[in-house]
């Protein structure tokens, strides 16, 4: 049966969504031939996948260089502000969830930056969905009123009466949703959401709390001292009260559409308005990505929780000591967008330029229990676009891991163009960048006279089939030898006997040797792998229980 939004929502209400078992990702045709044990297409945790983003698993490298593989961006945005209630921006300081059946769902800001007196009901929190990640629909949710009608895609509002108003006008009227502290006690009102993140929490036993909205919520009267012309008549007592409710809040929903609108504070905020939340599947906990306030500028910091209640102390991942040019030519905007990938963690590190132009992202990674590091400092992974493009000035990812369609990763991002109006901010729209599976960065060589090589540290072979992810620049296959940990050859597994075919139709090729079809006789043994690379980029390798 074809799954539409009505069937999907009915199913999630009835039984919730689980992420267990073994399946093929069925997002879109063509299906990937790469086997996964995760039914969640945004859960990329796999202990048998080894990336070459750092040297942690590497014993030696010769005549190879680590290169960043930039994703390919579609030239036009996939979601734009094109409805009367949306203003001139569609930006994902928001989230894109890919459901187990492949449906993409986007929660985004629609932003009216001009704030004209006759358009104070324009702008809000909107929802869209897509079967392929490219063509999006904005369904009529019939939840909140805009100019006498509920036929719109607004999924949330801070207006108590459900009639859409921008946060400034709500604040001027002293209106908003009731703010509740961690114990559920009312402490004030909330009329603005920033850093909006929506996640699906498959570990919550209560299906009515399956989806969670986490945001930096505010009573906008706290900004009256900075913008007195916008908030005439706001008293010092009201400003102090507004500051007391400032924090990171959580709301819940059974389906991602119908929310309680009873936000409860997770953590009080000290300042700034940046945040996002992402899932650490490996440790069954959540990352909360915020900014610390002792770094002298924007920075990227993290805390964790397994229950949404008790949070670790905030740890600075990238701050004032991360680069000598910090606070000179750039700061970190705040986001890492951390997610599990293979046997490590990966993130897209947002940069905020103080010189030059272009708010873009580097690639970051972390080993379990270790520090976050930059894969290739100062080299850009997700970049801004050319002159005249919709993403000329900014390219920041939405608050979620990449989705997956076949052998492609889908990275949704907010793109900002150059200002084109004296009273409006930069126009923004949602873009899509794609990357071949697991190909974030690799060890590459093109025109050296001989082959380059990389030798792994000793590892135990968990499964009989070794698949290698390689992009051949020349029509020349790479080779792999299997040795004892000390480098002693294992008969039948030498590089000269290796056969890994050049396969431009697939991301992975399976390794075999002249008289050895796989690694069956070595499963459970500790070995080292020696890869020989000529005219190619080696991105990763995986072990599989069976060929696919």
């Amino acid at each position: 049966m074809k799954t539409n939004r009505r069937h999907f929502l009915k199913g999630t209400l009835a039984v919730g969504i689980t992420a267990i078992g073994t399946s093929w990702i069925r997002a879109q045709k063509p299906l990937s031939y790469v086997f996964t044990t995760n039914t969640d297409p945004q859960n990329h945790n796999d202990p048998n996948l080894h990336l070459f983003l750092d040297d942690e698993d590497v014993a030696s490298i010769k005549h190879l260089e680590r290169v960043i593989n930039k994703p390919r961006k579609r030239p036009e945005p996939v979601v734009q502000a094109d409805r009367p209630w949306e203003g001139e921006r569609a930006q994902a300081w928001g989230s894109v969830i890919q459901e187990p059946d492949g449906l993409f769902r986007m929660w985004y800001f629609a932003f009216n930056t001009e704030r004209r007196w006759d358009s104070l009901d324009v702008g809000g929190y909107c929802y869209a969905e897509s079967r392929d990640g490219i063509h999006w629909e904005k369904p009529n949710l019939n939840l909140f009123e805009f100019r006498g009608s509920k036929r719109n895609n607004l999924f949330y509002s801070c207006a108590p009466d459900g009639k859409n108003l921008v946060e400034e006008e709500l604040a001027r009227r002293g209106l908003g949703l009731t703010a509740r502290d961690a114990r559920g006690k009312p402490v004030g009102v909330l009329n603005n959401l920033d850093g909006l993140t929506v996640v699906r929490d498959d570990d919550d036993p209560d299906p009515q709390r399956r989806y969670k909205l986490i945001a930096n919520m505010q009573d906008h009267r706290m900004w009256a001292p900075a913008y007195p012309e916008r908030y005439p008549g706001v008293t010092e007592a009201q400003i102090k009260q507004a500051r007391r409710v400032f924090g990171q809040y959580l709301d819940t929903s059974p389906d991602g559409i119908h929310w309680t609108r009873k936000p409860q504070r997770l953590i009080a905020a000290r300042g700034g308005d940046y945040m996002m939340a992402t899932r650490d599947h490996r440790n069954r906990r959540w990352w909360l990505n915020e900014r610390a306030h002792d770094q002298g500028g924007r920075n990227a910091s993290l805390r964790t929780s397994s229950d949404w209640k008790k949070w670790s102390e905030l740890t600075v991942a990238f701050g004032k000591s991360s680069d000598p040019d910090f606070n000179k030519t750039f700061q970190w905007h705040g986001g890492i967008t951390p997610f599990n990938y293979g046997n490590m963690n990966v993130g897209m590190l947002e940069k905020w330029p103080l010189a030059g132009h272009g708010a873009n992202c580097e690639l970051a990674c972390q080993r379990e229990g270790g520090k976050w590091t930059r894969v290739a400092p100062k080299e850009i992974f997700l970049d801004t676009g050319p002159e005249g493009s919709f993403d000329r000035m900014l390219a920041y990812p939405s608050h979620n891991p990449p989705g997956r369609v076949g052998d492609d990763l889908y990275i949704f991002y907010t793109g900002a163009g150059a200002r084109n109006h004296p009273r409006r901010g930069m126009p923004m729209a949602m873009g899509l960048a794609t990357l071949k599976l697991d190909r974030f960065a690799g060890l590459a060589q093109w025109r050296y006279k001989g082959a380059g090589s990389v030798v792994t540290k000793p590892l135990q072979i968990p499964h009989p089939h070794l698949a290698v992810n390689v992009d051949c620049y020349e029509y020349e296959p790479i080779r792999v030898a299997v040795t004892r940990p000390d480098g002693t050859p294992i008969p039948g597994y030498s590089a000269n006997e290796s056969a890994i075919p050049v396969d431009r139709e697939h991301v992975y090729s399976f390794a075999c040797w002249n008289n050895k079809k796989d690694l069956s006789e070595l499963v459970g043994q500790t070995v080292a792998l020696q890869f020989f690379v000529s005219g190619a980029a080696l991105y990763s390798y995986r072990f599989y229980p069976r060929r696919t």
Side-chain angles (χ1 to χ4, degrees):
M1 178 179 70
K2 183 178 179 181
T3 302
N4 58 26
R5 184 170 63 89
R6 182 177 298 174
H7 288 128
F8 170 77
L9 296 180
K10 183 179 179 181
T12 58
L13 281 166
V15 299
I17 298 174
T18 59
I20 58 175
T22 300
S23 74
W24 294 92
I25 294 297
R26 301 184 182 274
Q28 290 292 323
K29 295 180 179 180
L31 297 181
S32 174
Y33 68 101
V34 178
F35 191 69
T36 177
T37 58
N38 302 322
T39 60
D40 179 351
Q42 288 175 299
N43 178 2
H44 306 287
N45 180 42
D46 183 349
N48 298 313
L49 168 60
H50 300 258
L51 305 176
F52 287 108
L53 300 191
D54 62 11
D55 294 337
E56 183 67 23
D57 291 340
V58 173
S60 66
I61 299 175
K62 184 177 181 180
H63 300 310
L64 296 174
E65 183 174 298
R66 184 167 286 109
V67 295
I68 295 294
N69 188 33
K70 289 185 178 181
R72 179 181 299 178
K73 297 191 297 181
R74 295 183 65 86
E76 300 298 328
V78 294
V79 174
Q80 303 181 70
D82 56 8
R83 300 293 194 270
W85 52 87
E86 287 186 321
E88 72 276 2
R89 281 184 178 178
Q91 63 187 84
W93 294 186
S95 301
V96 178
I97 289 178
Q98 187 180 14
E99 300 290 358
D101 73 341
L103 179 70
F104 287 100
R105 309 177 72 198
M106 181 185 295
W107 294 261
Y108 65 97
F109 277 118
F111 207 170
N112 162 21
T113 61
E114 191 173 1
R115 297 293 199 271
R116 283 175 29 173
W117 66 269
D118 59 350
S119 62
L120 295 176
D121 56 352
V122 174
Y125 313 105
C126 295
Y127 172 82
E129 58 190 29
S130 170
R131 295 305 306 179
D132 61 6
I134 299 170
H135 305 93
W136 289 79
E137 297 179 358
K138 299 177 180 180
N140 291 321
L141 301 179
N142 299 306
L143 295 175
F144 300 102
E145 185 176 322
F146 173 76
R147 299 183 183 178
S149 173
K150 292 184 178 181
R151 290 181 59 80
N152 58 64
N153 65 328
L154 294 164
F155 79 91
Y156 205 90
S157 174
C158 290
D161 62 1
K163 295 181 179 180
N164 198 54
L165 279 178
V166 299
E167 75 285 353
E168 289 184 10
E169 184 61 17
L170 287 171
R172 282 190 286 267
R173 300 182 188 184
L175 297 176
L177 299 179
T178 300
R180 291 173 170 78
D181 65 15
R183 295 170 295 178
K185 178 183 177 182
V187 291
V189 298
L190 299 165
N191 41 52
N192 184 55
L193 281 63
D194 208 342
L196 172 69
T197 302
V198 174
V199 298
R200 191 184 68 246
D201 185 355
D202 296 319
D203 285 344
D204 196 316
D206 184 353
Q208 296 299 310
R209 296 170 53 88
R210 181 67 62 230
Y211 291 83
K212 301 202 168 45
L213 182 154
I214 309 95
N216 181 279
M217 297 193 186
Q218 312 154 13
D219 179 347
H220 237 243
R221 287 177 292 184
M222 67 179 285
W223 302 108
Y227 306 102
E229 72 284 357
R230 299 184 187 179
Y231 303 100
V234 175
T235 67
E236 282 297 320
Q238 289 172 329
I239 293 170
K240 290 181 180 179
Q241 172 62 23
R243 287 173 176 166
R244 283 196 287 268
V245 304
F246 185 37
Q248 321 295 15
Y249 284 77
L250 179 143
D251 202 345
T252 60
S253 166
D255 55 15
I257 301 295
H258 302 90
W259 301 87
T260 70
R261 293 212 300 156
K262 297 177 180 179
Q264 190 164 345
R265 188 162 59 192
L266 302 175
I267 301 171
R270 292 179 55 194
D273 53 9
Y274 191 90
M275 65 80 61
M276 75 169 75
T278 56
R279 181 63 166 165
D280 179 356
H281 293 276
R282 187 180 299 118
N283 296 295
R284 301 188 73 169
R285 64 182 183 179
W286 300 92
W287 280 297
L288 187 61
N289 190 176
E290 300 178 278
R291 293 185 186 132
H293 304 287
D294 58 357
Q295 299 298 297
R298 292 177 175 88
N299 60 88
S301 302
L302 295 168
R303 66 172 89 234
T304 59
S305 174
S306 58
D307 61 4
W308 296 105
K309 297 176 182 178
K310 297 178 181 177
W311 291 89
S312 66
E313 292 296 318
L314 192 63
T315 300
V316 177
F318 298 97
K320 60 185 178 182
S321 62
S322 59
D323 192 289
D325 288 329
F326 179 81
N327 255 348
K328 296 177 182 178
T329 61
F330 77 95
Q331 296 175 347
W332 304 111
H333 179 243
I336 302 176
T337 317
F339 54 92
N340 305 133
Y341 207 100
N343 65 347
M344 64 192 312
N345 299 320
V346 179
M348 288 172 275
L349 179 60
E350 300 169 9
K351 298 183 75 172
W352 183 262
L354 303 179
H357 103 281
N360 45 37
C361 299
E362 291 187 13
L363 197 62
C365 68
Q366 181 207 35
R367 295 287 175 166
E368 192 68 27
K371 293 183 177 180
W372 282 90
T373 60
R374 299 154 74 187
V375 173
K378 300 190 185 302
E379 290 193 36
I380 302 305
F381 174 67
L382 183 60
D383 206 352
T384 52
E387 184 177 354
S389 62
F390 81 94
D391 56 358
R392 173 63 170 163
M393 304 306 297
L394 178 147
Y396 286 161
S398 51
H399 297 174
N400 50 268
R404 179 174 162 183
V405 175
D407 289 338
D408 289 311
L409 297 176
Y410 275 32
I411 299 170
F412 295 94
Y413 69 97
T414 297
R419 287 185 63 182
N420 55 17
H421 192 284
R423 295 184 301 278
R424 296 176 181 171
M426 295 183 298
M428 293 185 179
M430 292 303 302
L432 170 61
T434 61
L435 188 74
K436 286 300 179 184
L437 198 66
D438 309 343
R439 293 185 175 182
F440 294 97
L443 300 176
Q445 182 241 72
W446 185 26
R447 288 297 176 93
Y448 187 72
K449 293 180 180 179
S453 64
V454 54
V455 180
T456 70
K457 292 178 180 177
L459 56 89
Q460 188 177 73
I461 296 179
H463 298 297
H465 299 285
L466 172 64
V468 181
N469 188 334
V470 60
D471 180 16
C472 293
Y473 307 147
E474 306 287 348
Y475 205 85
E476 184 174 345
I478 72 165
R479 294 170 292 132
V480 59
V482 187
T483 73
R484 298 301 176 192
D486 61 1
T488 302
I490 299 177
Y493 292 97
S494 70
N496 289 335
E497 297 170 285
S498 172
I500 302 179
V502 175
D503 185 353
R504 298 197 181 280
E505 297 298 319
H506 299 101
V507 175
Y508 277 91
S509 298
F510 284 92
C512 60
W513 295 261
N514 290 346
N515 297 307
K516 307 287 185 181
K517 65 178 182 178
D518 56 35
L519 299 171
S520 297
E521 61 192 47
L522 299 179
V523 170
Q525 297 187 32
T526 300
V527 302
L529 302 178
Q530 298 179 351
F531 294 96
F532 297 88
V533 182
S534 180
L538 174 63
Y539 291 104
S540 61
Y541 60 95
R542 289 174 179 255
F543 293 100
Y544 289 98
R546 58 185 176 86
R547 288 192 65 152
T548 57

